[in-house]
Every structure is written in structure tokens, then in C-alpha cells.
Amino acid sequence: MSARAHKLRELLAKGEVNLSVPGSGEMLHLKSIPDSPCRVACPAGVNVKAYVGLIGKGDFLHALEVVREKNPLPGICGRVCTHPCELECRRGEIDEPLAIRQLKRFIADYALSSKPAVLPATTPQRKEKVAIVGSGPAGLTAANDLRRLGYDVTIFEAQNKPGGMLVWGIPPFRLPRNIIEEEINSILNLGIKLLLNTKIDHPGQLLRDGYAAVFFAPGCQKSIKLGFPKEDEILGVIDSLSFLKKVYNGELTKLKGRVLVIGGGDSAIDSARVARRLGAEEVWIVYRRTKKEMPAAEEEMKEAEIEGVRFEFLTQPVGFLPKGEKISGLRCVRCQLAEPDASGRRKPVPIAGSEFAIDADWIITALGQKAEMEMGNFPQGIFIGGDAAGGAATVINAIASGHEGAKAIHQFITGRSSLQSSVPGPRSEMEIAPGVLTAVRINRTTPKYLPVNSRRGFEEIEAPFSPEQAIEEAKRCLRCGPCDECVRCSNTCPKHQAVLRLMDDKGETTDTVFIRVHGQENIFFEGEKRKEVKIKADDQELKGEIELLMVQIDEELCRACERCIEVCPHEALRLKEWQRGILVASIDHKKCRGCGTCVPVCPSGALKGFAPVASITYVR
């Protein structure tokens, strides 16, 4: 490769190179693009673009396979995931991000009617036993990964049901219990043992009992207290975790009067919505910052408001108001926001002389949870994961922790790593793409919700997408990122394989660089195969020519055997009548992506093409 080609690639690694089209005033942008932003944003490394693309084609079974590669709990995440992938979706630059969470839920619900997950016949049978402490999402994920690697896995759970905070912390109207049971059973059915009502305080004992390693993920089961006098003694004051457990166990079935919920996270929102369903006439959420600073999911806050929950912002509790042994109110002070604190949110500062009281029949504290025991120095062979490792987090973060724990245990036992990291490494390819996204605006598909006046019980309030809705929403995807991450190509993909030839002053080719080209109307050739360009790179102007890599057919050699039609992943080939009724293969160049899949199967040599995309795509 010449110095000029090396220089071009160096520039691409730093950003973007402009290409001008002589005589047209048109400007193209050649840049090095990284992984799809949705995939990079997913803590578990789920290949979002791939399964969304497959849903768009109606290929639901393969979409499910892609999701299950990195997420063994798709139905759970499809309902309660905080969907960081949507925050990075480039579709949001045009209209709204894709409804990725709902698409995951759709494919998970579809799985309920498909065949269950099974161990491949090639799964090894290892002699080592591995113990998992805790059956929350981190423990379940680690158990799933380790079982698929051939280990004998046993899960130890302190409670009478598996699931951890999935069961005890999230209301059934957000996460139905049958979904939790079905997805946990799909993991256990791989051959994993589960021991309930078995609390493990000293995981080192499991090593002495013969387990080769322990994944210690007991979760955060201890609520953080306000620290006010007699907090554990006043009747009507309860922490959110204890409150929700009592409700789900049937110990608390009705509330009356006014309920105050202190906190601004998802637990506070869940507790408030549950209190409304138990009959409380008024439910207030008391929060010391503003709505903008609340860590709770925006859609959950919206649903709480719809259900009649009132928000009291910039209000900080300073003490309880008991009446005898029972609570009667909450002493509070108004706040104003100052500079951000360690959390990155603006710090609430009490306003002098602003004290006031709020009457209350119940007070639920929702300040978060912490581990019941200190995570000290454990002996070698014990790996801490889930919320116990880094504090209470999200389900998808717990899944990512489970993947990493399984990888670390496998490496510890075998002395080598054959389990890929759950987070993909940085990759990129060269692509000609528009500087500004210009796709047609398409409204985001929104699910239907149970009417407010029908939300008296704990039935799920969000309806799933229909297959037609899922396909329609998935087709909004812009397919950002390198093409070599897809599991199956689609003939609707706007990218074509192309080659950029660098030319000398005599017009002779000096170097070639393989690239991808967006086929949007404002950017690329309709009906022409080559485009002359000029490249400006560090005050130098290079001449070049871009040519789409498309398969060509020698009709004299074609025997119409249809083998090329059978293997084409883009549906670009078909038969046509050539001379005197003779049939030959024909290619639709708008659909052809230049992958070359058809070329090696042609028995007569009629097809002339190039190597497959994976072999010629430039990956940094």
C-alpha cells in the first residue's frame, strides 16, 4: 500500500474526509464508522441492529437467537430495561429513537410459543462444580453461561422464590410473574440445580464443599434508612422493599388515607403506584430535587402521574410526626438547587425558615438498597457480581455482570479464556455516508396501555406489539455501524460494497480501498456504476474513482440452473427470457450488494464478481 493510501486511512481514523464530485458541486463524506451506537450502549453487548433488522424482515426465530446470545432474560428486559440503547439511537436525530425495548419484548413474547432454549449437542461435560449465590439476573446469567460451557451448576437462593429483585422489587403490572417464572425455568431446564430457602453468608464454605468456584451475587437486600429517631418503631413507617414484599406475599392488601413516598428512583415510583392500587386516597412522592433530576424512568413517572400520584418537588424531610405509636405526618423544609454534587446532579440546599408539615397515614422510604454484608477480601475462587459488586443497578447491568463473572470463572478454572467478552471491542469500517441524516420522518410505533380506570389490580398495563407493528417499527432502523456485524443481510439495506481507486496524474490506479456506500437518494448513483471524485487530505488533492462492486453475468455461459438465486441473501437474482425463449439469470443492481455469495456456486462460470464482504471490508 502506498503512502497516500496509508495517509487516507490515518485521516479516516481521526474523523472524516470530504470527497468532491467534479462538475457537479456535490460533496460526499468518507469516514470511518464505529460499531452501531445502540450496541455499544448496551451493557450486555446485545447485537441490537442485527435482531431489529431480522424483525423487520419478519424472521422472528433468528431475531430471538440473536437476542439470546447475550441476554437470557429477553422477556424481563423487554419490560423493565432502562434501554440505554434508545438514548444513543441515531434515529432520534431525525424523529424519535426506535422502540427497542418494546421490540425486545415482542420477540421474547414470540418465544413463548416457540421451542425452548436447549443445550447444543456439542456442549462439553466438565467435572467441575460451580456455585451461584443469588438467583437475580446476574446469578441467572452467570449460571446460564457456565452451564452452556459444560459446568455442573447449582444456584443457592435465600428466599422462597427465585428471581431476586425481579420478584420482590418490581410490581407485576410492570413485570408479570409468569414471565419471570417462564424465563427462569428456561434457564433451569438446561440442567441447573436450584436450592431455595438456603442463605449463604460465608461463600468460602462452598469451596470447602467441593465447588471449584463461586459466583457471589446476593444482591442488595437491605434498605437505606433516613436516620430519623424511632424510624423502625413508628407504625405506618416502612421501607419500600419491605412494603413491596408484604404486598406480594399477601400480608398487606389495603391502604387508606394519604401515603407519602420519600425518594426519586424507580422504587419510589413503583411503591407509589402500588399504594394507589391498594386503595390509598392520596399518594404523594416527596423529592428534594426537581423532576429533571429524578433518576426514575421518565415513562414510569408519566404513568404514575396518569394514575393520580402527586409529586412534591424541592422538599426535604427533616423528621417524623408521630401520634402515639403511629405516624401522623412528616416535617419538611423547602429546598433550592445549588452546584452539582458527586452524583452529577444539582445539590439541594434547605431554605432557612421554610419548614412545614404534611399530614400522612403512611410513609414509605425509598432511598435505595445496599448489601446486607460487607464485601471484604474473599479467598481465591470467589467472584462477586451483580448489585453486591457495585451497588443497586439495573437489570441489564446485572446481566452484563453475570456474563463477566462467568467469563472470569471459566478462565480461573481452565487457565485460559475461550468465552468472548460480553462487550464488543471497537471496530470500524470505511463508509461514504451523508453528513446529515435525511431519512423520511416516520412516527414511532407506540404500544397500547390499559385505561386508567381499569388499573385496579396488578395486571400488566402495557400491551405488546402485534407482528405488523413490530415489523413496521423495526424498519425505521437506519442500520448504523459496520455491515459485518449483521447476521443476515436485507435487500432493504442502504449500503453497497464499493471500491475507491486512487489515481495518479495519468489516470492510472495506484491504490484501492474497499468501502461501503449509503444508497440514499441524495448521495449515490442511480443507474451509473462509477463516480469520479477528488479527495482533499492534508492540503493534498487526490484523484479517485468509486465503483460499486456488482456481480456481472455472461449470458452466453448461463445455464439457468438457479443455484445463484437460491443462495443470494439479497433476492437480487431472478430468471429472465434472453433469446428465442432461452432463460438466463438476471441481476437487479439496486438489490445487489456485491457480496459475491453467488459467484462460487455457478457451475458454468457465468457469474463474475468479487470476494465476500467479510473478506474485503476494511476493519480497523
Side-chain angles (χ1 to χ4, degrees):
M1 183 184 299
S2 73
R4 286 200 280 184
H6 273 298
K7 188 66 177 178
L8 179 60
R9 291 188 173 180
E10 288 176 6
L11 291 170
L12 285 171
K14 298 176 183 177
E16 184 175 300
V17 175
N18 290 328
L19 292 79
S20 59
V21 181
S24 69
E26 185 179 359
M27 184 69 72
L28 306 179
H29 306 278
L30 180 60
K31 55 180 155 184
S32 184
I33 57 169
D35 269 330
S36 305
C38 53
R39 183 178 185 179
V40 173
C42 178
V46 176
N47 194 341
V48 178
K49 184 180 78 172
Y51 82 75
V52 169
L54 290 166
I55 292 173
K57 292 182 67 179
D59 195 348
F60 303 144
L61 282 177
H62 282 95
L64 177 62
E65 289 176 8
V66 172
V67 175
R68 279 179 170 169
E69 285 176 4
K70 295 294 183 182
N71 189 341
L73 305 170
I76 291 169
C77 280
R79 288 165 168 83
V80 300
C81 186
T82 52
H83 48 74
C85 50
E86 291 188 24
L87 297 177
E88 299 299 324
C89 178
R90 291 197 70 202
R91 184 82 209 186
E93 299 175 27
I94 300 168
D95 36 57
E96 294 180 276
L98 256 72
I100 298 173
R101 178 182 64 78
Q102 283 93 347
L103 288 173
K104 189 188 289 98
R105 178 198 166 164
F106 166 79
I107 208 62
D109 288 354
Y110 180 81
L112 299 180
S113 60
S114 67
K115 56 184 179 181
V118 295
L119 281 180
T122 56
T123 302
Q125 294 300 315
R126 302 179 184 275
K127 62 181 180 180
E128 298 91 352
K129 298 191 303 179
V130 179
I132 308 292
V133 178
S135 63
L140 291 168
T141 301
N144 176 78
D145 287 358
L146 290 165
R147 183 70 191 101
R148 290 178 179 278
L149 287 167
Y151 292 101
D152 183 343
V153 179
T154 300
I155 301 175
F156 296 85
E157 171 55 53
Q159 303 293 329
N160 61 355
K161 296 178 182 179
M165 294 301 288
L166 299 174
V167 171
W168 306 115
I170 304 176
F173 55 80
R174 288 181 58 205
L175 182 56
R177 295 308 181 249
N178 68 303
I179 299 298
I180 300 175
E181 292 172 5
E182 287 168 352
E183 295 208 323
I184 290 178
N185 286 337
S186 72
I187 294 174
L188 297 178
N189 288 340
L190 298 178
I192 296 169
K193 294 182 284 292
L194 171 66
L195 299 179
L196 298 173
N197 299 307
T198 308
K199 189 173 182 180
I200 305 294
D201 290 323
H202 305 287
Q205 180 60 46
L206 294 171
L207 296 178
R208 293 188 287 273
D209 290 342
Y211 288 93
V214 179
F215 184 68
F216 193 61
C220 292
Q221 299 291 335
K222 188 175 181 179
S223 292
I224 298 172
K225 303 290 186 179
L226 280 168
F228 295 165
K230 298 184 177 181
E231 186 169 352
D232 295 324
E233 301 174 21
I234 303 173
L235 296 177
V237 176
I238 188 171
D239 66 85
S240 63
L241 185 56
S242 297
F243 168 69
L244 294 173
K245 278 188 176 181
K246 285 180 179 292
V247 174
Y248 303 152
N249 278 330
E251 300 173 36
L252 184 59
T253 59
K254 193 169 184 179
L255 292 179
K256 290 184 178 181
R258 178 183 292 166
V259 177
L260 303 183
V261 182
I262 302 172
D266 289 325
S267 293
I269 300 294
D270 288 341
S271 298
R273 298 176 71 186
V274 168
R276 285 289 290 164
R277 282 163 171 76
L278 295 186
E281 284 82 6
E282 293 183 56
V283 179
W284 295 16
I285 288 181
V286 179
Y287 184 57
R288 58 182 183 164
R289 293 183 172 92
T290 69
K291 185 177 182 179
K292 181 180 179 181
E293 284 79 27
M294 286 186 74
E298 186 176 346
E299 57 262 42
E300 301 305 324
M301 288 191 283
K302 179 182 176 182
E303 291 303 318
E305 288 180 313
I306 292 173
E307 292 170 7
V309 174
R310 171 175 169 177
F311 289 81
E312 193 73 15
F313 295 115
L314 294 172
T315 301
Q316 181 168 316
V318 294
F320 296 128
L321 290 172
K323 186 175 181 180
E325 297 181 347
K326 195 174 186 317
I327 193 69
S328 68
L330 184 68
R331 291 194 299 115
C332 302
V333 62
R334 295 293 182 190
C335 296
Q336 60 186 6
L337 297 183
E339 295 300 316
D341 59 15
S343 71
R345 294 171 296 168
R346 295 176 65 189
K347 183 179 180 179
V349 178
I351 300 173
S354 64
E355 293 82 0
F356 68 104
I358 306 175
D359 293 338
D361 298 284
W362 285 83
I363 292 179
I364 302 172
T365 59
L367 308 177
Q369 293 83 37
K370 59 183 179 180
E372 289 186 318
M373 59 182 291
E374 293 294 328
M375 297 295 115
N377 293 322
F378 289 117
Q380 195 174 31
I382 296 176
F383 300 81
I384 304 172
D387 290 354
T394 64
V395 174
I396 195 67
N397 284 105
I399 289 173
S401 177
H403 284 313
E404 294 304 321
K407 176 186 175 185
I409 287 172
H410 180 62
Q411 186 169 3
F412 169 75
I413 293 175
T414 63
R416 58 187 175 83
S417 177
S418 62
L419 182 65
Q420 292 183 348
S421 170
S422 62
V423 180
R427 297 178 300 125
S428 69
E429 71 177 9
M430 292 184 179
E431 176 185 281
I432 290 181
V436 178
L437 296 177
T438 57
V440 176
R441 292 177 62 89
I442 304 173
N443 291 334
R444 173 176 165 134
T445 307
T446 56
K448 293 182 179 180
Y449 288 86
L450 194 68
V452 177
N453 57 9
S454 299
R455 301 182 189 182
R456 297 186 177 90
F458 286 91
E459 64 272 24
E460 189 170 17
I461 68 168
E462 181 184 291
F465 283 165
S466 67
E468 294 75 21
Q469 285 179 309
I471 291 172
E472 180 182 4
E473 178 63 17
K475 286 183 176 179
R476 295 177 64 237
C477 178
L478 297 173
R479 295 188 174 89
C480 312
C483 284
D484 66 338
E485 76 171 344
C486 289
V487 291
R488 280 195 173 188
C489 296
S490 166
N491 59 25
T492 60
C493 180
K495 297 180 182 179
H496 288 263
Q497 183 72 11
V499 61
L500 168 63
R501 295 185 176 88
L502 302 181
M503 322 289 285
D504 60 18
D505 292 337
K506 298 180 181 179
E508 297 181 358
T509 301
T510 59
D511 296 284
T512 58
V513 179
F514 292 102
I515 56 175
R516 301 291 296 183
V517 180
H518 263 291
Q520 296 184 18
E521 291 182 3
N522 68 324
I523 217 176
F524 214 59
F525 7 117
E526 286 287 341
E528 55 179 313
K529 298 177 183 177
R530 296 188 179 188
K531 177 163 285 194
E532 183 181 344
V533 293
K534 290 184 178 179
I535 307 166
K536 290 189 175 181
D538 272 9
D539 298 327
Q540 297 184 46
E541 187 171 89
L542 309 178
K543 292 181 180 179
E545 184 180 77
I546 298 173
E547 181 179 4
L548 287 180
L549 299 185
M550 294 183 178
V551 173
Q552 304 299 318
I553 298 177
D554 186 335
E555 296 174 336
E556 294 282 354
L557 296 177
C558 180
R559 298 295 178 264
C561 67
E562 300 188 53
R563 292 185 185 180
C564 57
I565 297 175
E566 293 173 359
V567 301
C568 179
H570 315 293
E571 302 176 7
L573 288 153
R574 61 182 184 276
L575 292 181
K576 72 169 185 179
E577 186 175 322
W578 178 45
Q579 294 177 359
R580 297 184 301 279
I582 296 175
L583 294 177
V584 295
S586 173
I587 187 162
D588 184 342
H589 287 120
K590 288 186 178 181
K591 292 184 177 181
C592 178
R593 295 296 180 267
C595 68
T597 302
C598 58
V599 175
V601 303
C602 179
S604 63
L607 298 178
K608 313 294 181 183
F610 300 86
V613 171
S615 300
I616 57 178
T617 297
Y618 165 63
V619 178
R620 175 165 56 86

